[in-house]
Amino acid sequence: FHSAKIPANFLQKLTSGIRDTLVDWQLRADYRLAWRMYRDYQLLPPTLCPEGGPPICSMQTDIRRMDWNHLFRFGANYVGNAVASLWYSLEINQSNSYGKPYFRHAVGLSFTTPLLWEVYLSVKGVVQLSQFIDPYLILQTSGTDYTAVDDENRSSLVVQVSRDVIDDLTLLLRYGAFVNEASTVSGYLRHIWFLGIRYQLSSE
Protein backbone atom coordinates (compact mmCIF):
# COMPACT_ATOMS: atom_id res chain seq x y z
CA PHE A 1 0.00 0.00 0.00
CA HIS A 2 0.88 3.67 -0.30
CA SER A 3 0.40 5.80 2.76
CA ALA A 4 0.34 9.46 3.74
CA LYS A 5 1.09 10.11 7.43
CA ILE A 6 0.36 13.06 9.69
CA PRO A 7 2.09 12.94 13.12
CA ALA A 8 1.58 15.09 16.20
CA ASN A 9 3.79 14.97 19.30
CA PHE A 10 3.86 16.48 22.78
CA LEU A 11 6.91 16.21 25.06
CA GLN A 12 7.35 17.64 28.55
CA LYS A 13 10.76 17.38 30.24
CA LEU A 14 11.11 17.53 34.02
CA THR A 15 14.17 17.40 36.29
CA SER A 16 14.27 16.50 39.96
CA GLY A 17 17.03 16.08 42.55
CA ILE A 18 20.23 18.07 43.11
CA ARG A 19 23.87 17.71 42.06
CA ASP A 20 24.78 14.04 41.61
CA THR A 21 21.20 12.88 42.20
CA LEU A 22 19.66 14.69 39.25
CA VAL A 23 16.93 12.67 37.55
CA ASP A 24 15.32 13.48 34.20
CA TRP A 25 11.70 12.66 33.45
CA GLN A 26 9.90 12.85 30.12
CA LEU A 27 6.14 12.78 29.65
CA ARG A 28 5.14 12.13 26.07
CA ALA A 29 1.98 11.89 23.99
CA ASP A 30 1.97 10.99 20.30
CA TYR A 31 -0.69 10.71 17.63
CA ARG A 32 -0.27 9.48 14.07
CA LEU A 33 -2.84 9.37 11.30
CA ALA A 34 -2.07 7.21 8.29
CA TRP A 35 -4.20 7.10 5.15
CA ARG A 36 -3.45 3.83 3.36
CA MET A 37 -4.44 3.06 -0.22
CA TYR A 38 -3.96 -0.65 -0.95
CA ARG A 39 -3.24 -2.41 -4.21
CA ASP A 40 -5.74 -5.01 -3.02
CA TYR A 41 -9.51 -4.61 -3.44
CA GLN A 42 -12.38 -4.15 -1.02
CA LEU A 43 -13.89 -7.35 0.42
CA LEU A 44 -17.63 -7.77 0.97
CA PRO A 45 -19.17 -9.58 3.96
CA PRO A 46 -19.48 -13.38 3.58
CA THR A 47 -23.27 -12.99 3.81
CA LEU A 48 -23.17 -11.60 0.25
CA CYS A 49 -21.49 -14.71 -1.17
CA PRO A 50 -23.64 -16.78 -3.54
CA GLU A 51 -25.48 -19.73 -2.04
CA GLY A 52 -23.61 -22.99 -2.34
CA GLY A 53 -20.25 -21.28 -2.28
CA PRO A 54 -17.25 -22.51 -0.28
CA PRO A 55 -17.37 -22.20 3.53
CA ILE A 56 -14.65 -19.58 3.36
CA CYS A 57 -15.79 -16.88 0.98
CA SER A 58 -14.71 -13.31 0.35
CA MET A 59 -16.15 -11.42 -2.59
CA GLN A 60 -14.07 -8.60 -4.03
CA THR A 61 -15.34 -5.45 -5.65
CA ASP A 62 -13.61 -3.20 -8.16
CA ILE A 63 -13.07 -0.62 -5.39
CA ARG A 64 -9.61 -0.32 -3.88
CA ARG A 65 -9.22 -1.10 -0.21
CA MET A 66 -8.65 2.06 1.83
CA ASP A 67 -7.83 2.33 5.55
CA TRP A 68 -7.64 5.17 8.06
CA ASN A 69 -5.16 4.09 10.74
CA HIS A 70 -5.03 6.01 14.03
CA LEU A 71 -2.27 5.43 16.59
CA PHE A 72 -2.34 7.02 20.05
CA ARG A 73 0.60 6.54 22.41
CA PHE A 74 1.18 7.87 25.93
CA GLY A 75 4.35 7.25 27.89
CA ALA A 76 6.85 8.31 30.53
CA ASN A 77 10.64 8.01 30.45
CA TYR A 78 13.03 8.02 33.41
CA VAL A 79 16.76 8.72 33.20
CA GLY A 80 18.77 8.36 36.40
CA ASN A 81 20.87 5.50 37.76
CA ALA A 82 18.90 3.44 35.27
CA VAL A 83 16.90 4.20 32.13
CA ALA A 84 13.24 3.14 32.05
CA SER A 85 10.16 3.68 29.87
CA LEU A 86 6.49 2.89 30.42
CA TRP A 87 3.94 3.38 27.66
CA TYR A 88 0.44 2.56 26.45
CA SER A 89 -0.77 2.64 22.87
CA LEU A 90 -4.13 2.32 21.17
CA GLU A 91 -4.34 1.60 17.44
CA ILE A 92 -7.65 2.00 15.63
CA ASN A 93 -7.90 0.81 12.04
CA GLN A 94 -10.92 1.91 10.01
CA SER A 95 -11.33 0.19 6.65
CA ASN A 96 -13.84 -0.06 3.82
CA SER A 97 -12.94 -3.77 3.49
CA TYR A 98 -14.64 -6.52 5.50
CA GLY A 99 -12.50 -8.13 8.20
CA LYS A 100 -9.94 -5.33 8.33
CA PRO A 101 -11.21 -2.91 11.03
CA TYR A 102 -9.70 -3.56 14.45
CA PHE A 103 -8.67 -2.13 17.82
CA ARG A 104 -5.22 -2.95 19.23
CA HIS A 105 -4.12 -2.18 22.80
CA ALA A 106 -0.50 -2.50 23.93
CA VAL A 107 1.29 -1.82 27.21
CA GLY A 108 5.07 -1.79 27.29
CA LEU A 109 7.82 -1.50 29.89
CA SER A 110 11.55 -1.34 29.25
CA PHE A 111 14.56 -0.57 31.38
CA THR A 112 18.35 -0.70 31.24
CA THR A 113 20.53 -0.85 34.35
CA PRO A 114 24.19 -1.57 35.10
CA LEU A 115 25.17 -4.83 36.82
CA LEU A 116 28.56 -6.05 38.05
CA TRP A 117 31.76 -5.99 35.97
CA GLU A 118 30.44 -3.29 33.61
CA VAL A 119 27.68 -5.55 32.32
CA TYR A 120 24.39 -3.92 31.39
CA LEU A 121 20.99 -5.58 31.61
CA SER A 122 18.14 -4.51 29.33
CA VAL A 123 14.60 -5.85 29.55
CA LYS A 124 11.61 -5.03 27.36
CA GLY A 125 8.13 -6.47 27.80
CA VAL A 126 5.03 -5.81 25.71
CA VAL A 127 1.50 -7.09 26.31
CA GLN A 128 -0.73 -6.72 23.27
CA LEU A 129 -4.42 -7.41 22.80
CA SER A 130 -6.26 -7.00 19.50
CA GLN A 131 -9.96 -7.01 18.75
CA PHE A 132 -11.22 -7.47 15.22
CA ILE A 133 -14.64 -6.02 14.55
CA ASP A 134 -15.93 -8.34 11.80
CA PRO A 135 -16.36 -12.08 12.45
CA TYR A 136 -14.65 -14.10 9.77
CA LEU A 137 -14.98 -17.83 9.09
CA ILE A 138 -11.48 -19.29 9.04
CA LEU A 139 -12.17 -22.93 9.90
CA GLN A 140 -15.09 -25.33 9.66
CA THR A 141 -14.78 -28.86 11.04
CA SER A 142 -17.21 -31.43 12.46
CA GLY A 143 -20.06 -28.99 12.12
CA THR A 144 -18.29 -26.38 14.26
CA ASP A 145 -17.56 -22.92 12.88
CA TYR A 146 -14.67 -20.86 14.23
CA THR A 147 -15.44 -17.25 13.42
CA ALA A 148 -12.86 -15.53 15.64
CA VAL A 149 -9.81 -14.49 13.70
CA ASP A 150 -6.28 -15.03 15.01
CA ASP A 151 -6.15 -11.91 17.13
CA GLU A 152 -2.41 -11.31 16.68
CA ASN A 153 -1.84 -10.77 20.38
CA ARG A 154 1.90 -10.74 19.90
CA SER A 155 3.05 -10.21 23.45
CA SER A 156 6.78 -10.44 23.98
CA LEU A 157 9.60 -10.39 26.50
CA VAL A 158 13.17 -9.60 25.44
CA VAL A 159 16.14 -9.79 27.84
CA GLN A 160 19.62 -8.65 26.84
CA VAL A 161 23.00 -8.48 28.60
CA SER A 162 25.86 -6.54 27.05
CA ARG A 163 29.40 -5.47 27.87
CA ASP A 164 31.88 -3.18 26.17
CA VAL A 165 34.94 -5.24 25.27
CA ILE A 166 37.03 -2.36 24.01
CA ASP A 167 36.21 1.15 22.81
CA ASP A 168 33.29 1.08 20.33
CA LEU A 169 33.04 -2.73 20.49
CA THR A 170 30.23 -4.39 22.46
CA LEU A 171 29.44 -8.05 23.03
CA LEU A 172 25.77 -8.83 23.62
CA LEU A 173 23.54 -11.82 24.31
CA ARG A 174 19.78 -11.55 23.77
CA TYR A 175 16.82 -13.84 24.43
CA GLY A 176 13.30 -13.17 23.22
CA ALA A 177 10.02 -14.98 23.86
CA PHE A 178 6.96 -14.20 21.73
CA VAL A 179 3.53 -15.55 22.65
CA ASN A 180 -0.01 -15.39 21.34
CA GLU A 181 -1.78 -17.18 24.19
CA ALA A 182 -4.69 -14.73 24.26
CA SER A 183 -5.82 -15.89 20.82
CA THR A 184 -9.19 -17.62 20.71
CA VAL A 185 -8.08 -19.97 17.93
CA SER A 186 -4.65 -21.35 18.74
CA GLY A 187 -1.66 -20.66 20.94
CA TYR A 188 1.73 -19.58 19.70
CA LEU A 189 5.16 -19.54 21.34
CA ARG A 190 8.48 -18.62 19.77
CA HIS A 191 11.96 -18.46 21.32
CA ILE A 192 14.85 -16.52 19.78
CA TRP A 193 18.46 -16.55 21.00
CA PHE A 194 20.95 -14.06 19.61
CA LEU A 195 24.69 -13.67 20.21
CA GLY A 196 26.36 -10.77 18.50
CA ILE A 197 29.08 -8.15 18.37
CA ARG A 198 28.26 -4.48 17.82
CA TYR A 199 30.87 -2.07 16.51
CA GLN A 200 30.20 1.68 16.52
CA LEU A 201 31.98 3.76 13.91
CA SER A 202 33.49 6.89 15.34
CA SER A 203 33.55 10.17 13.43
CA GLU A 204 36.61 11.43 15.32
Side-chain angles (χ1 to χ4, degrees), residues 69-176:
N69 185 268
H70 309 265
L71 181 62
F72 303 86
R73 177 167 172 151
F74 308 93
N77 301 325
Y78 166 87
V79 180
N81 294 330
V83 178
S85 296
L86 175 66
W87 54 268
Y88 163 77
S89 70
L90 170 63
E91 182 181 1
I92 302 174
N93 195 69
Q94 299 173 301
S95 178
N96 66 344
S97 188
Y98 185 86
K100 306 305 179 182
Y102 61 84
F103 294 93
R104 177 166 294 144
H105 304 268
V107 178
L109 172 66
S110 65
F111 68 88
T112 299
T113 185
L115 301 177
L116 299 175
W117 305 300
E118 299 181 350
V119 175
Y120 283 83
L121 170 68
S122 298
V123 178
K124 180 181 179 180
V126 178
V127 177
Q128 181 170 282
L129 182 63
S130 304
Q131 179 186 6
F132 286 80
I133 307 304
D134 301 324
Y136 196 83
L137 182 62
I138 62 172
L139 179 63
Q140 188 177 58
T141 177
S142 302
T144 302
D145 296 343
Y146 295 90
T147 56
V149 74
D150 179 358
D151 291 335
E152 297 182 349
N153 299 303
R154 300 169 185 167
S155 300
S156 62
L157 177 65
V158 179
V159 180
Q160 174 179 293
V161 289
S162 61
R163 189 183 189 281
D164 292 338
V165 181
I166 56 175
D167 291 343
D168 301 327
L169 186 65
T170 303
L171 179 67
L172 55 92
L173 174 65
R174 182 186 307 144
Y175 166 73

Side-chain angles (χ1 to χ4, degrees), residues 126-128 152-157 176-183 186-191:
V126 178
V127 177
Q128 181 170 282
E152 297 182 349
N153 299 303
R154 300 169 185 167
S155 300
S156 62
L157 177 65
F178 302 84
V179 297
N180 192 25
E181 292 303 317
S183 170
S186 61
Y188 172 84
L189 176 61
R190 182 180 186 185
H191 305 274

